[in-house]
Amino acid sequence: MSAGMLLFIAAVAVAVLLFLVIKVKMSAFVGLLLVSLGTALVTGIPISEVVPTMVEGMGKTLGNVMIIVGLGAMLGRLIEVAGGAESLATYFTNKLGHTRIVGAVTIAAFILGIPVFFDVGFIILAPIVFGFAKVAKINPLKIGLPVGAVMLTVHVALPPHPGPVAAAEILGVDPGRMIMLALPITAVTAVIGFFAAKLIDTDKSR
């Protein structure tokens, strides 16, 4: 099976997963299992090897992220329960004003996203996002969408994240030079994502 066909199957699998979770309201875990099963069968993996392949893939993924995500979630919850997020949000809201809050948190997310993985950074920032939204009395999505967009942009395009580092190694590009070139590109992309997120009507999600 060609690489193009595999990419097409992967895109369809993601679309089906989003449909099951968003429209059908299926559990994300169950939806992921079903989509993984279907994808394995479509790509030609023998039926007898489907379950072992899924178990191996999930085991490697959980082994890599479980400790980090788990501790990150605990840290975020501690910040939220202790009132640190709301206290921080109140202080900066009074200093910057309500109109600059989203931009300030987005810039902080961009800087944090450079050395920290997307999932860990987002879990740490989640209580802060909700704290700012509560103080500013706005929908959390108004802050969460641009924050997620800029952190994801940095994660997929800028070393030292694993994807860009692997791409630099495959292409024979110096990682330091890649950082110098990718940093302004990701910054511009983050700005575009910030303004694009502002155009989304988040009031309907209340």
Side-chain angles (χ1 to χ4, degrees):
M1 189 174 293
S2 65
M5 180 58 67
L6 289 175
L7 289 174
F8 174 75
I9 293 174
V12 172
V14 172
V16 173
L17 178 60
L18 291 175
F19 174 79
L20 292 176
V21 174
I22 298 174
K23 294 295 184 181
V24 183
K25 306 297 183 182
M26 181 180 292
S27 167
F29 181 73
V30 176
L32 185 60
L33 287 178
L34 293 177
V35 171
S36 300
L37 177 62
T39 303
L41 294 175
V42 171
T43 53
I45 295 178
I47 297 178
S48 60
E49 299 180 11
V50 169
V51 174
T53 301
M54 292 173 59
V55 171
E56 181 181 1
M58 293 180 65
K60 289 182 178 179
T61 301
L62 291 175
N64 291 330
V65 304
M66 180 177 290
I67 296 177
I68 297 176
V69 172
L71 292 177
M74 292 170 62
L75 177 60
R77 181 59 177 167
L78 286 173
I79 295 174
E80 183 180 4
V81 172
E86 188 170 348
S87 179
L88 184 68
T90 302
Y91 176 81
F92 281 101
T93 300
N94 293 333
K95 291 292 183 180
L96 300 174
H98 289 67
T99 57
R100 299 185 180 93
I101 288 299
V102 179
V105 179
T106 303
I107 293 173
F110 181 84
I111 297 173
L112 178 65
I114 295 176
V116 177
F117 279 13
F118 168 78
D119 46 5
V120 179
F122 195 81
I123 289 173
I124 293 174
L125 283 178
I128 297 177
V129 168
F130 281 102
F132 274 94
K134 182 179 180 180
V135 172
K137 297 180 179 179
I138 60 177
N139 193 311
L141 287 177
K142 289 184 179 292
I143 306 176
L145 285 176
V147 164
V150 298
M151 292 193 70
L152 187 59
T153 300
V154 172
H155 184 84
V156 301
L158 191 67
H161 294 289
V165 170
E169 183 177 353
I170 293 173
L171 298 175
V173 179
D174 179 62
R177 181 175 299 178
M178 187 174 181
I179 292 176
M180 294 178 62
L181 294 175
L183 190 58
I185 295 175
T186 52
V188 172
T189 305
V191 171
I192 295 173
F194 170 74
F195 285 104
K198 292 183 68 175
L199 297 176
I200 299 176
D201 185 8
T202 55
D203 292 333
K204 294 180 179 179
S205 62
R206 291 182 177 179

PDB file of all heavy atoms in Angstrom, residues 25-44:
ATOM      1  N   LYS A  25     -21.318  11.526  20.420  1.00  0.00           N
ATOM      2  CA  LYS A  25     -21.085  11.624  21.864  1.00  0.00           C
ATOM      3  C   LYS A  25     -20.563  10.312  22.456  1.00  0.00           C
ATOM      4  O   LYS A  25     -20.837   9.972  23.605  1.00  0.00           O
ATOM      5  CB  LYS A  25     -22.367  12.037  22.611  1.00  0.00           C
ATOM      6  CG  LYS A  25     -23.010  13.311  22.088  1.00  0.00           C
ATOM      7  CD  LYS A  25     -22.108  14.515  22.260  1.00  0.00           C
ATOM      8  CE  LYS A  25     -22.793  15.784  21.790  1.00  0.00           C
ATOM      9  NZ  LYS A  25     -21.904  16.983  21.894  1.00  0.00           N
ATOM     10  N   MET A  26     -19.808   9.577  21.667  1.00  0.00           N
ATOM     11  CA  MET A  26     -19.225   8.327  22.138  1.00  0.00           C
ATOM     12  C   MET A  26     -18.008   8.621  23.004  1.00  0.00           C
ATOM     13  O   MET A  26     -17.331   9.636  22.830  1.00  0.00           O
ATOM     14  CB  MET A  26     -18.822   7.457  20.938  1.00  0.00           C
ATOM     15  CG  MET A  26     -18.227   6.103  21.300  1.00  0.00           C
ATOM     16  SD  MET A  26     -17.778   5.136  19.832  1.00  0.00           S
ATOM     17  CE  MET A  26     -19.414   4.793  19.161  1.00  0.00           C
ATOM     18  N   SER A  27     -17.753   7.736  23.940  1.00  0.00           N
ATOM     19  CA  SER A  27     -16.558   7.859  24.761  1.00  0.00           C
ATOM     20  C   SER A  27     -15.317   7.899  23.871  1.00  0.00           C
ATOM     21  O   SER A  27     -15.195   7.119  22.921  1.00  0.00           O
ATOM     22  CB  SER A  27     -16.460   6.675  25.731  1.00  0.00           C
ATOM     23  OG  SER A  27     -15.183   6.611  26.316  1.00  0.00           O
ATOM     24  N   ALA A  28     -14.400   8.833  24.174  1.00  0.00           N
ATOM     25  CA  ALA A  28     -13.203   8.982  23.350  1.00  0.00           C
ATOM     26  C   ALA A  28     -12.380   7.697  23.323  1.00  0.00           C
ATOM     27  O   ALA A  28     -11.830   7.310  22.282  1.00  0.00           O
ATOM     28  CB  ALA A  28     -12.367  10.142  23.872  1.00  0.00           C
ATOM     29  N   PHE A  29     -12.317   7.009  24.459  1.00  0.00           N
ATOM     30  CA  PHE A  29     -11.534   5.779  24.526  1.00  0.00           C
ATOM     31  C   PHE A  29     -12.152   4.682  23.655  1.00  0.00           C
ATOM     32  O   PHE A  29     -11.456   4.013  22.882  1.00  0.00           O
ATOM     33  CB  PHE A  29     -11.440   5.310  25.975  1.00  0.00           C
ATOM     34  CG  PHE A  29     -10.637   4.054  26.158  1.00  0.00           C
ATOM     35  CD1 PHE A  29      -9.260   4.062  26.038  1.00  0.00           C
ATOM     36  CD2 PHE A  29     -11.273   2.852  26.437  1.00  0.00           C
ATOM     37  CE1 PHE A  29      -8.526   2.903  26.198  1.00  0.00           C
ATOM     38  CE2 PHE A  29     -10.544   1.686  26.603  1.00  0.00           C
ATOM     39  CZ  PHE A  29      -9.171   1.714  26.480  1.00  0.00           C
ATOM     40  N   VAL A  30     -13.480   4.514  23.763  1.00  0.00           N
ATOM     41  CA  VAL A  30     -14.161   3.496  22.954  1.00  0.00           C
ATOM     42  C   VAL A  30     -14.059   3.852  21.478  1.00  0.00           C
ATOM     43  O   VAL A  30     -13.809   2.983  20.622  1.00  0.00           O
ATOM     44  CB  VAL A  30     -15.637   3.378  23.380  1.00  0.00           C
ATOM     45  CG1 VAL A  30     -16.374   2.400  22.472  1.00  0.00           C
ATOM     46  CG2 VAL A  30     -15.731   2.922  24.833  1.00  0.00           C
ATOM     47  N   GLY A  31     -14.256   5.132  21.152  1.00  0.00           N
ATOM     48  CA  GLY A  31     -14.151   5.560  19.762  1.00  0.00           C
ATOM     49  C   GLY A  31     -12.766   5.298  19.196  1.00  0.00           C
ATOM     50  O   GLY A  31     -12.619   4.860  18.054  1.00  0.00           O
ATOM     51  N   LEU A  32     -11.745   5.559  19.999  1.00  0.00           N
ATOM     52  CA  LEU A  32     -10.372   5.328  19.550  1.00  0.00           C
ATOM     53  C   LEU A  32     -10.120   3.851  19.304  1.00  0.00           C
ATOM     54  O   LEU A  32      -9.454   3.469  18.330  1.00  0.00           O
ATOM     55  CB  LEU A  32      -9.399   5.866  20.603  1.00  0.00           C
ATOM     56  CG  LEU A  32      -7.908   5.814  20.249  1.00  0.00           C
ATOM     57  CD1 LEU A  32      -7.630   6.619  18.998  1.00  0.00           C
ATOM     58  CD2 LEU A  32      -7.070   6.340  21.414  1.00  0.00           C
ATOM     59  N   LEU A  33     -10.663   2.986  20.170  1.00  0.00           N
ATOM     60  CA  LEU A  33     -10.512   1.546  19.970  1.00  0.00           C
ATOM     61  C   LEU A  33     -11.177   1.100  18.666  1.00  0.00           C
ATOM     62  O   LEU A  33     -10.592   0.337  17.888  1.00  0.00           O
ATOM     63  CB  LEU A  33     -11.107   0.782  21.157  1.00  0.00           C
ATOM     64  CG  LEU A  33     -10.333   0.817  22.472  1.00  0.00           C
ATOM     65  CD1 LEU A  33     -11.094   0.039  23.547  1.00  0.00           C
ATOM     66  CD2 LEU A  33      -8.942   0.228  22.290  1.00  0.00           C
ATOM     67  N   LEU A  34     -12.406   1.565  18.424  1.00  0.00           N
ATOM     68  CA  LEU A  34     -13.124   1.170  17.209  1.00  0.00           C
ATOM     69  C   LEU A  34     -12.418   1.664  15.952  1.00  0.00           C
ATOM     70  O   LEU A  34     -12.273   0.926  14.970  1.00  0.00           O
ATOM     71  CB  LEU A  34     -14.559   1.710  17.259  1.00  0.00           C
ATOM     72  CG  LEU A  34     -15.465   1.109  18.333  1.00  0.00           C
ATOM     73  CD1 LEU A  34     -16.833   1.791  18.317  1.00  0.00           C
ATOM     74  CD2 LEU A  34     -15.629  -0.399  18.120  1.00  0.00           C
ATOM     75  N   VAL A  35     -11.985   2.918  15.980  1.00  0.00           N
ATOM     76  CA  VAL A  35     -11.297   3.477  14.811  1.00  0.00           C
ATOM     77  C   VAL A  35      -9.967   2.766  14.584  1.00  0.00           C
ATOM     78  O   VAL A  35      -9.584   2.493  13.441  1.00  0.00           O
ATOM     79  CB  VAL A  35     -11.090   4.990  14.995  1.00  0.00           C
ATOM     80  CG1 VAL A  35     -10.184   5.552  13.903  1.00  0.00           C
ATOM     81  CG2 VAL A  35     -12.431   5.713  14.970  1.00  0.00           C
ATOM     82  N   SER A  36      -9.257   2.459  15.651  1.00  0.00           N
ATOM     83  CA  SER A  36      -7.991   1.735  15.519  1.00  0.00           C
ATOM     84  C   SER A  36      -8.215   0.353  14.912  1.00  0.00           C
ATOM     85  O   SER A  36      -7.457  -0.096  14.044  1.00  0.00           O
ATOM     86  CB  SER A  36      -7.319   1.601  16.887  1.00  0.00           C
ATOM     87  OG  SER A  36      -7.042   2.861  17.436  1.00  0.00           O
ATOM     88  N   LEU A  37      -9.272  -0.321  15.367  1.00  0.00           N
ATOM     89  CA  LEU A  37      -9.604  -1.636  14.832  1.00  0.00           C
ATOM     90  C   LEU A  37      -9.923  -1.548  13.346  1.00  0.00           C
ATOM     91  O   LEU A  37      -9.418  -2.337  12.539  1.00  0.00           O
ATOM     92  CB  LEU A  37     -10.788  -2.222  15.608  1.00  0.00           C
ATOM     93  CG  LEU A  37     -11.327  -3.577  15.130  1.00  0.00           C
ATOM     94  CD1 LEU A  37     -10.255  -4.651  15.252  1.00  0.00           C
ATOM     95  CD2 LEU A  37     -12.566  -3.969  15.928  1.00  0.00           C
ATOM     96  N   GLY A  38     -10.762  -0.581  12.981  1.00  0.00           N
ATOM     97  CA  GLY A  38     -11.118  -0.419  11.573  1.00  0.00           C
ATOM     98  C   GLY A  38      -9.928  -0.051  10.708  1.00  0.00           C
ATOM     99  O   GLY A  38      -9.774  -0.565   9.593  1.00  0.00           O
ATOM    100  N   THR A  39      -9.083   0.828  11.215  1.00  0.00           N
ATOM    101  CA  THR A  39      -7.896   1.241  10.458  1.00  0.00           C
ATOM    102  C   THR A  39      -6.954   0.071  10.229  1.00  0.00           C
ATOM    103  O   THR A  39      -6.399  -0.098   9.138  1.00  0.00           O
ATOM    104  CB  THR A  39      -7.153   2.358  11.215  1.00  0.00           C
ATOM    105  OG1 THR A  39      -8.043   3.458  11.431  1.00  0.00           O
ATOM    106  CG2 THR A  39      -5.953   2.843  10.418  1.00  0.00           C
ATOM    107  N   ALA A  40      -6.774  -0.757  11.257  1.00  0.00           N
ATOM    108  CA  ALA A  40      -5.902  -1.924  11.120  1.00  0.00           C
ATOM    109  C   ALA A  40      -6.421  -2.874  10.046  1.00  0.00           C
ATOM    110  O   ALA A  40      -5.652  -3.390   9.226  1.00  0.00           O
ATOM    111  CB  ALA A  40      -5.785  -2.632  12.471  1.00  0.00           C
ATOM    112  N   LEU A  41      -7.734  -3.097  10.030  1.00  0.00           N
ATOM    113  CA  LEU A  41      -8.304  -4.009   9.032  1.00  0.00           C
ATOM    114  C   LEU A  41      -8.198  -3.436   7.623  1.00  0.00           C
ATOM    115  O   LEU A  41      -7.879  -4.155   6.660  1.00  0.00           O
ATOM    116  CB  LEU A  41      -9.770  -4.295   9.377  1.00  0.00           C
ATOM    117  CG  LEU A  41     -10.007  -5.072  10.685  1.00  0.00           C
ATOM    118  CD1 LEU A  41     -11.499  -5.175  10.971  1.00  0.00           C
ATOM    119  CD2 LEU A  41      -9.372  -6.458  10.610  1.00  0.00           C
ATOM    120  N   VAL A  42      -8.450  -2.131   7.488  1.00  0.00           N
ATOM    121  CA  VAL A  42      -8.406  -1.502   6.164  1.00  0.00           C
ATOM    122  C   VAL A  42      -6.988  -1.506   5.591  1.00  0.00           C
ATOM    123  O   VAL A  42      -6.796  -1.671   4.383  1.00  0.00           O
ATOM    124  CB  VAL A  42      -8.956  -0.057   6.244  1.00  0.00           C
ATOM    125  CG1 VAL A  42      -8.713   0.685   4.932  1.00  0.00           C
ATOM    126  CG2 VAL A  42     -10.441  -0.073   6.565  1.00  0.00           C
ATOM    127  N   THR A  43      -5.991  -1.330   6.446  1.00  0.00           N
ATOM    128  CA  THR A  43      -4.611  -1.292   5.967  1.00  0.00           C
ATOM    129  C   THR A  43      -4.033  -2.672   5.681  1.00  0.00           C
ATOM    130  O   THR A  43      -2.880  -2.778   5.261  1.00  0.00           O
ATOM    131  CB  THR A  43      -3.710  -0.577   6.994  1.00  0.00           C
ATOM    132  OG1 THR A  43      -3.877  -1.185   8.280  1.00  0.00           O
ATOM    133  CG2 THR A  43      -4.065   0.898   7.078  1.00  0.00           C
ATOM    134  N   GLY A  44      -4.814  -3.711   5.921  1.00  0.00           N
ATOM    135  CA  GLY A  44      -4.380  -5.045   5.534  1.00  0.00           C
ATOM    136  C   GLY A  44      -3.690  -5.847   6.613  1.00  0.00           C
ATOM    137  O   GLY A  44      -3.086  -6.896   6.320  1.00  0.00           O
TER     138      GLY A  44
END
